[in-house]
Amino acid sequence: MKIDIGIISHNRYEILSENLNQLLKSSEFFSKIILVDNGSNENFKQKLKRNFSNFDKIDIITSEKNLGVAGARNILFKKSNADLLFCIDDDALVNNLKKSLMRIKKVFLKFKKLGVLCLKIIDSKSKKVIKREFPQKYELLKLNKILKISYFIGAGFVIKNEVFKNFAFNDNFFYAQEDIDYCYKILDN
């Protein structure tokens, strides 16, 4: 089961660089990183090109204008041919990528009808689950188990190829609510 990692960034080079360097340490466990430079400035573009354009595992797609989150995610969907696309924010640091990817694969193999897996978002400083980023009652989050939910938060999710190839984000949503709108689209079909 092939997994691509999808990241969108707009002028946040320092945290993106930290993220990419961390991901590349476990590059044997994913197919490639698809990075959308979402209309960043020239300084960002130059740093990105200088430090990351020579990695075979990173495909950098540059948009001259900021397409918003929905528009940039649609680019990620078009560029990935993997079975799963693991979408994370540019400032998301994944704890133990190898273990996370292996667990993700097991979940999708076990639950054949699963289309999207929402990831728990944990604050890097407090080490606590960010309640507003997870669509469940907080008490249930402490159980550390798989829960059925009706929507996901775009900061961290994994989506099956057959879902992202059939449904696009509504790019009328520049930022915020695009993920909830997307969930309605999936659930309605």
Side-chain angles (χ1 to χ4, degrees), residues 2 10 13 18-19 49 54 58 61-62 68 72 78-79 83 91 94 111 113 139 148 152 158 161 168 170 173 178 188:
K2 289 175 48 179
H10 176 76
Y13 179 79
E18 183 180 345
N19 189 353
K49 184 178 180 180
N54 292 328
I58 301 178
I61 295 100
T62 302
K78 288 176 189 168
K79 297 295 182 180
D83 302 302
D91 62 348
V94 180
F111 299 98
K113 292 184 178 182
E139 299 77 42
K148 288 184 179 182
F152 66 89
V158 183
N161 180 295
N170 179 343
F173 290 97
E178 80 286 340
D188 283 347

Short mmCIF file of all heavy atoms in Angstrom, two decimals, residues 2 10 13 18-19 49 54 58 61-62 68 72 78-79 83 91 94 111 113 139 148 152 158 161 168 170 173 178 188:
data_model
loop_
_atom_site.label_atom_id
_atom_site.label_comp_id
_atom_site.label_asym_id
_atom_site.label_seq_id
_atom_site.Cartn_x
_atom_site.Cartn_y
_atom_site.Cartn_z
N LYS A 2 0.81 2.03 -1.07
CA LYS A 2 1.65 3.23 -1.20
C LYS A 2 1.00 4.43 -0.52
O LYS A 2 -0.20 4.63 -0.63
CB LYS A 2 1.87 3.55 -2.67
CG LYS A 2 2.79 2.57 -3.39
CD LYS A 2 2.90 2.84 -4.87
CE LYS A 2 3.15 4.29 -5.19
NZ LYS A 2 3.29 4.55 -6.63
N HIS A 10 2.58 28.38 2.67
CA HIS A 10 2.55 29.76 2.17
C HIS A 10 3.42 30.61 3.09
O HIS A 10 3.02 30.95 4.20
CB HIS A 10 1.12 30.31 2.15
CG HIS A 10 1.04 31.75 1.75
ND1 HIS A 10 1.17 32.15 0.44
CD2 HIS A 10 0.87 32.87 2.47
CE1 HIS A 10 1.07 33.47 0.39
NE2 HIS A 10 0.90 33.92 1.61
N TYR A 13 8.62 29.16 5.75
CA TYR A 13 9.75 28.31 5.41
C TYR A 13 10.37 27.62 6.62
O TYR A 13 10.69 26.43 6.55
CB TYR A 13 10.84 29.11 4.66
CG TYR A 13 12.00 28.22 4.35
CD1 TYR A 13 11.94 27.34 3.28
CD2 TYR A 13 13.12 28.19 5.17
CE1 TYR A 13 12.98 26.46 3.01
CE2 TYR A 13 14.16 27.31 4.91
CZ TYR A 13 14.09 26.46 3.84
OH TYR A 13 15.11 25.58 3.59
N GLU A 18 11.79 22.43 8.96
CA GLU A 18 11.92 21.50 10.08
C GLU A 18 11.07 20.25 9.82
O GLU A 18 11.52 19.12 10.03
CB GLU A 18 11.46 22.19 11.37
CG GLU A 18 11.60 21.35 12.61
CD GLU A 18 11.13 22.06 13.87
OE1 GLU A 18 10.96 23.29 13.86
OE2 GLU A 18 10.93 21.36 14.87
N ASN A 19 9.86 20.45 9.34
CA ASN A 19 8.95 19.35 9.04
C ASN A 19 9.53 18.45 7.96
O ASN A 19 9.59 17.22 8.11
CB ASN A 19 7.60 19.93 8.62
CG ASN A 19 6.51 18.89 8.49
OD1 ASN A 19 6.75 17.70 8.59
ND2 ASN A 19 5.31 19.35 8.24
N LYS A 49 13.84 26.02 -3.11
CA LYS A 49 14.56 25.46 -4.25
C LYS A 49 16.00 25.10 -3.87
O LYS A 49 16.47 24.00 -4.18
CB LYS A 49 14.57 26.47 -5.41
CG LYS A 49 15.23 25.93 -6.65
CD LYS A 49 15.16 26.93 -7.78
CE LYS A 49 15.83 26.34 -9.02
NZ LYS A 49 15.79 27.26 -10.15
N ASN A 54 16.53 19.12 -4.79
CA ASN A 54 17.35 17.99 -5.23
C ASN A 54 16.95 16.64 -4.62
O ASN A 54 17.58 15.63 -4.89
CB ASN A 54 18.84 18.25 -4.93
CG ASN A 54 19.38 19.37 -5.78
OD1 ASN A 54 18.94 19.56 -6.92
ND2 ASN A 54 20.30 20.14 -5.23
N ILE A 58 10.76 14.48 -2.99
CA ILE A 58 9.93 15.68 -2.84
C ILE A 58 9.58 16.24 -4.22
O ILE A 58 10.46 16.54 -5.02
CB ILE A 58 10.64 16.79 -2.03
CG1 ILE A 58 10.99 16.29 -0.63
CG2 ILE A 58 9.75 18.03 -1.93
CD1 ILE A 58 11.74 17.31 0.23
N ILE A 61 5.40 21.72 -6.21
CA ILE A 61 4.51 22.35 -7.19
C ILE A 61 4.33 23.79 -6.76
O ILE A 61 3.94 24.06 -5.62
CB ILE A 61 3.14 21.64 -7.27
CG1 ILE A 61 3.30 20.20 -7.79
CG2 ILE A 61 2.19 22.39 -8.17
CD1 ILE A 61 3.29 19.19 -6.74
N THR A 62 4.63 24.71 -7.66
CA THR A 62 4.55 26.13 -7.33
C THR A 62 3.33 26.76 -7.97
O THR A 62 3.12 26.63 -9.18
CB THR A 62 5.82 26.86 -7.83
OG1 THR A 62 6.96 26.25 -7.22
CG2 THR A 62 5.79 28.33 -7.49
N GLY A 68 -5.68 29.37 -1.80
CA GLY A 68 -6.41 28.98 -0.60
C GLY A 68 -6.16 27.52 -0.31
O GLY A 68 -5.52 26.80 -1.08
N ALA A 72 -5.36 24.48 -3.16
CA ALA A 72 -4.07 23.81 -3.05
C ALA A 72 -4.24 22.31 -2.76
O ALA A 72 -3.50 21.48 -3.29
CB ALA A 72 -3.23 24.47 -1.96
N LYS A 78 -4.61 15.88 -7.37
CA LYS A 78 -4.31 15.60 -8.78
C LYS A 78 -2.92 14.99 -8.95
O LYS A 78 -2.68 14.19 -9.85
CB LYS A 78 -4.40 16.88 -9.60
CG LYS A 78 -5.82 17.37 -9.81
CD LYS A 78 -5.84 18.68 -10.55
CE LYS A 78 -7.25 19.26 -10.57
NZ LYS A 78 -7.27 20.65 -11.01
N LYS A 79 -1.98 15.37 -8.09
CA LYS A 79 -0.59 14.94 -8.25
C LYS A 79 -0.27 13.60 -7.59
O LYS A 79 0.78 13.02 -7.86
CB LYS A 79 0.36 16.01 -7.69
CG LYS A 79 0.29 17.33 -8.42
CD LYS A 79 0.77 17.20 -9.85
CE LYS A 79 0.75 18.52 -10.57
NZ LYS A 79 1.20 18.42 -11.94
N ASP A 83 -2.01 4.94 -3.04
CA ASP A 83 -3.26 4.39 -2.50
C ASP A 83 -3.85 5.33 -1.45
O ASP A 83 -5.08 5.44 -1.32
CB ASP A 83 -3.00 3.02 -1.86
CG ASP A 83 -2.40 2.04 -2.84
OD1 ASP A 83 -3.02 1.78 -3.88
OD2 ASP A 83 -1.28 1.56 -2.56
N ASP A 91 3.20 22.97 9.49
CA ASP A 91 3.80 23.04 10.82
C ASP A 91 3.57 21.78 11.65
O ASP A 91 3.86 21.74 12.83
CB ASP A 91 3.30 24.27 11.58
CG ASP A 91 1.81 24.26 11.82
OD1 ASP A 91 1.09 23.43 11.22
OD2 ASP A 91 1.34 25.11 12.60
N VAL A 94 5.24 15.01 12.89
CA VAL A 94 4.67 13.69 13.14
C VAL A 94 5.57 12.92 14.09
O VAL A 94 6.75 12.74 13.82
CB VAL A 94 4.50 12.91 11.82
CG1 VAL A 94 3.90 11.54 12.07
CG2 VAL A 94 3.67 13.71 10.83
N PHE A 111 -10.46 -1.72 7.81
CA PHE A 111 -11.76 -1.09 7.54
C PHE A 111 -11.82 -0.74 6.05
O PHE A 111 -11.50 0.38 5.65
CB PHE A 111 -11.95 0.15 8.41
CG PHE A 111 -11.94 -0.15 9.89
CD1 PHE A 111 -10.79 0.04 10.64
CD2 PHE A 111 -13.08 -0.64 10.51
CE1 PHE A 111 -10.78 -0.25 12.00
CE2 PHE A 111 -13.07 -0.93 11.86
CZ PHE A 111 -11.92 -0.74 12.62
N LYS A 113 -14.13 -0.06 3.95
CA LYS A 113 -15.01 1.01 3.49
C LYS A 113 -14.56 2.39 3.97
O LYS A 113 -15.16 3.39 3.59
CB LYS A 113 -16.44 0.76 3.95
CG LYS A 113 -17.07 -0.43 3.26
CD LYS A 113 -18.51 -0.58 3.67
CE LYS A 113 -19.16 -1.75 2.95
NZ LYS A 113 -20.58 -1.88 3.31
N GLU A 139 -13.68 13.52 26.36
CA GLU A 139 -13.49 12.34 27.20
C GLU A 139 -13.12 11.12 26.36
O GLU A 139 -12.36 10.27 26.77
CB GLU A 139 -14.76 12.03 28.02
CG GLU A 139 -15.17 13.13 28.97
CD GLU A 139 -15.86 14.32 28.28
OE1 GLU A 139 -16.70 14.11 27.39
OE2 GLU A 139 -15.51 15.45 28.63
N LYS A 148 -15.85 6.46 15.06
CA LYS A 148 -16.54 6.91 13.85
C LYS A 148 -16.93 8.38 14.05
O LYS A 148 -17.48 8.74 15.09
CB LYS A 148 -17.79 6.08 13.59
CG LYS A 148 -17.49 4.69 13.11
CD LYS A 148 -18.76 3.95 12.77
CE LYS A 148 -18.43 2.57 12.27
NZ LYS A 148 -19.63 1.83 11.88
N PHE A 152 -13.85 15.65 9.40
CA PHE A 152 -12.46 15.69 9.82
C PHE A 152 -11.94 17.12 9.74
O PHE A 152 -12.50 17.96 9.05
CB PHE A 152 -11.59 14.76 8.96
CG PHE A 152 -11.47 15.18 7.52
CD1 PHE A 152 -10.46 16.05 7.12
CD2 PHE A 152 -12.34 14.70 6.57
CE1 PHE A 152 -10.35 16.44 5.79
CE2 PHE A 152 -12.24 15.08 5.24
CZ PHE A 152 -11.24 15.95 4.86
N VAL A 158 -5.81 11.36 6.53
CA VAL A 158 -5.35 10.45 5.49
C VAL A 158 -6.58 10.08 4.67
O VAL A 158 -7.63 9.74 5.22
CB VAL A 158 -4.71 9.18 6.08
CG1 VAL A 158 -4.18 8.29 4.97
CG2 VAL A 158 -3.61 9.54 7.07
N ASN A 161 -7.28 6.99 -2.13
CA ASN A 161 -7.19 7.45 -3.52
C ASN A 161 -8.56 7.52 -4.20
O ASN A 161 -8.88 8.49 -4.86
CB ASN A 161 -6.25 6.53 -4.30
CG ASN A 161 -6.09 6.93 -5.75
OD1 ASN A 161 -7.03 6.89 -6.52
ND2 ASN A 161 -4.89 7.33 -6.11
N ALA A 168 -13.54 16.69 -5.34
CA ALA A 168 -12.63 17.82 -5.19
C ALA A 168 -13.14 18.73 -4.08
O ALA A 168 -14.33 18.76 -3.78
CB ALA A 168 -12.54 18.61 -6.50
N ASN A 170 -14.24 22.26 -2.68
CA ASN A 170 -14.90 23.44 -3.25
C ASN A 170 -13.96 24.63 -3.04
O ASN A 170 -13.81 25.11 -1.92
CB ASN A 170 -16.24 23.67 -2.55
CG ASN A 170 -16.98 24.88 -3.07
OD1 ASN A 170 -16.40 25.74 -3.73
ND2 ASN A 170 -18.25 24.96 -2.76
N PHE A 173 -14.16 28.01 -0.93
CA PHE A 173 -13.72 28.14 0.46
C PHE A 173 -12.22 28.38 0.44
O PHE A 173 -11.45 27.45 0.21
CB PHE A 173 -14.01 26.85 1.26
CG PHE A 173 -15.46 26.62 1.52
CD1 PHE A 173 -16.20 25.78 0.69
CD2 PHE A 173 -16.09 27.22 2.60
CE1 PHE A 173 -17.55 25.54 0.94
CE2 PHE A 173 -17.43 26.99 2.86
CZ PHE A 173 -18.16 26.15 2.03
N GLU A 178 -13.63 24.43 4.55
CA GLU A 178 -13.51 23.63 3.33
C GLU A 178 -13.51 22.14 3.64
O GLU A 178 -14.04 21.34 2.88
CB GLU A 178 -12.25 24.02 2.54
CG GLU A 178 -10.95 23.44 3.03
CD GLU A 178 -10.40 24.04 4.31
OE1 GLU A 178 -10.78 25.15 4.69
OE2 GLU A 178 -9.56 23.39 4.95
N ASP A 188 -22.69 12.51 1.22
CA ASP A 188 -23.86 12.57 0.35
C ASP A 188 -23.80 11.57 -0.80
O ASP A 188 -24.80 11.37 -1.50
CB ASP A 188 -24.05 13.98 -0.22
CG ASP A 188 -24.64 14.93 0.79
OD1 ASP A 188 -25.15 14.46 1.84
OD2 ASP A 188 -24.60 16.16 0.54
#
